[in-house]
Amino acid sequence: MLHIYNTLTRTKEPFRPAQAGQVRMYVCGMTVYDYCHLGHARMLVAFDVVQRWLRASGLSVDYVRNITDIDDKIIRRAVETNRRIGEVTEFYIDAMHADERALGVQAPDREPRATQYVGEMLDIIGRLQDNGLAYQADDGDVNYSVRGFAGYGKLSGKSLDDLRAGERVAVGSAKRDPLDFVLWKSAKPDEPEDTKWESPYGLGRPGWHIECSAMSRALLGLPLDIHGGGPDLKFPHHENEIAQTEGAFGGNLANVWMHCGPLMVDSDKMSKSLGNFRTIRQTVADAAALSDTQAGYQANPREAEMLRFFIVRNHYRSPQNYTPDNLLDAQNALDRLYQALQNVTPDEQGIDWNEPQAQAFKAAMDDDFNSSGAVAALFELATEANRSGSARSAGQLKALAALLGLLQQDPIKYFQTRTRYSASAVRVHGVVVTAAVAKDMPDPASIQLEAADIEDFIAERAAAKQARDYAKADSIRERLRAHGIELDDKPGGVTQWRRA
């Protein structure tokens, strides 16, 4: 039986959906004002694995992941770039979808945008006001009265006294209490007109927290079976969602709360101020189009799967450290799995769940989506396929990996794809790869050979072997190896090549 760690109860619990066989899952998505970064990648991949395993377990899943398309940061970006709000959000939504496709993240069943649910937000605010939990301040903002909700802090474990310690009401603030948060922001005269909605409280726009309360209830009803998101959303966003939804409707917002772990960069939190900020496309793009156009953005499929594998081989709740060394290690490990599929052609019989490694895979995934343990089972199958030449083991390897969104590329094409995360490519540059290396790995494009050049060398080598000039043939092999190209001679005189 599937067990999930519930952030709310701080225990691992058997998962029992409210309606047998049906899962209603809501995950907080992106605020679309910039490119997705590696922390976003971890959240996207983690919950993609969750929904894949729920479906593989025979459950019917309604997976909703929202888009925040109205927010202070979006407004600032629109003003800075002299564009309308809709232009900014559409551009970054397209960018987000391109990053998702690169990482093999399946689209959610529904992807609501906050601006489509303003009416539902205003309804909730009205209910909160009727229940004595919301008030309109002198500055026009409508705020939530945190001390009026007895359960505030139950998700994060923070008490009101702890939160209140050291707090002061800012000079000029109209809040009754510094812990109160905004539900509806009164429009400012200098703000763009397309950021203002009519409401009983005057022109304005919704606060961030109320958006998810409205969208999750409107699309999935209450209570949700699973509510998820990144580690930074536990407080205050998810805490405030609970206060809003339960304060307006009673009952529980969600039965199970899930949060993925943080992604660190060289053991520090990723931030632009520290200069360690990395986007998905900076990490996996052959030609990163980072100007105001999507043209030219092409993800490197080998590097993109490497990043997905880097995320998947860690348990979703554990902290994860991004360094060049760790990416190299992930690339090398993924290469070993693909090498098994290149060495042994997999059969297409599907998964045999009675097989020991399949049972180990399932046991790991049923234990709070322990993808780390599932990946260990994949390596056992790769070892068996290499040892015995078993097409069945290779087939099991490929079929189980598909449940994690891995190992679905053609191995030959995979190994013929250039990668920046290659120890051999780095050595050609004379660089020692350590965590101290700059965040941008050396680009081997200047030294890696094109496919046509490699094929020419292989033909020349074949001619040398035909002429019994084995010294020349060996020299060509070593010359290719110096450029990170490995040759595999197959029966029938066929030579396959791969980038190391």
Side-chain angles (χ1 to χ4, degrees), residues 206-314:
W208 174 37
H209 310 299
I210 196 67
E211 297 176 354
C212 287
S213 286
M215 288 182 280
S216 61
R217 177 179 178 272
L219 291 175
L220 295 173
L222 298 174
L224 307 174
D225 293 304
I226 297 174
H227 194 319
D232 55 327
L233 298 185
K234 185 189 306 183
F235 184 87
H237 183 56
H238 287 163
E239 196 75 73
N240 290 352
E241 275 190 69
I242 289 173
Q244 293 164 159
T245 303
E246 297 182 7
F249 302 102
N252 293 327
L253 167 54
N255 291 331
V256 176
W257 285 85
M258 295 180 65
H259 296 88
C260 63
L263 188 139
M264 315 297 285
V265 179
D266 283 332
S267 301
D268 287 322
K269 183 177 179 179
M270 185 173 63
S271 70
K272 291 182 178 179
S273 61
L274 292 175
N276 62 4
F277 186 84
R278 295 283 291 172
T279 67
I280 294 172
R281 56 188 53 202
Q282 281 175 322
T283 309
V284 305
D286 275 336
L290 301 177
S291 59
D292 288 348
T293 175
Q294 299 298 339
Y297 173 52
Q298 181 63 50
N300 180 310
R302 188 172 177 183
E303 295 178 358
E305 187 169 356
M306 172 274 300
L307 180 56
R308 183 182 179 94
F309 178 76
F310 168 74
I311 294 169
V312 168
R313 72 172 180 170
N314 285 264

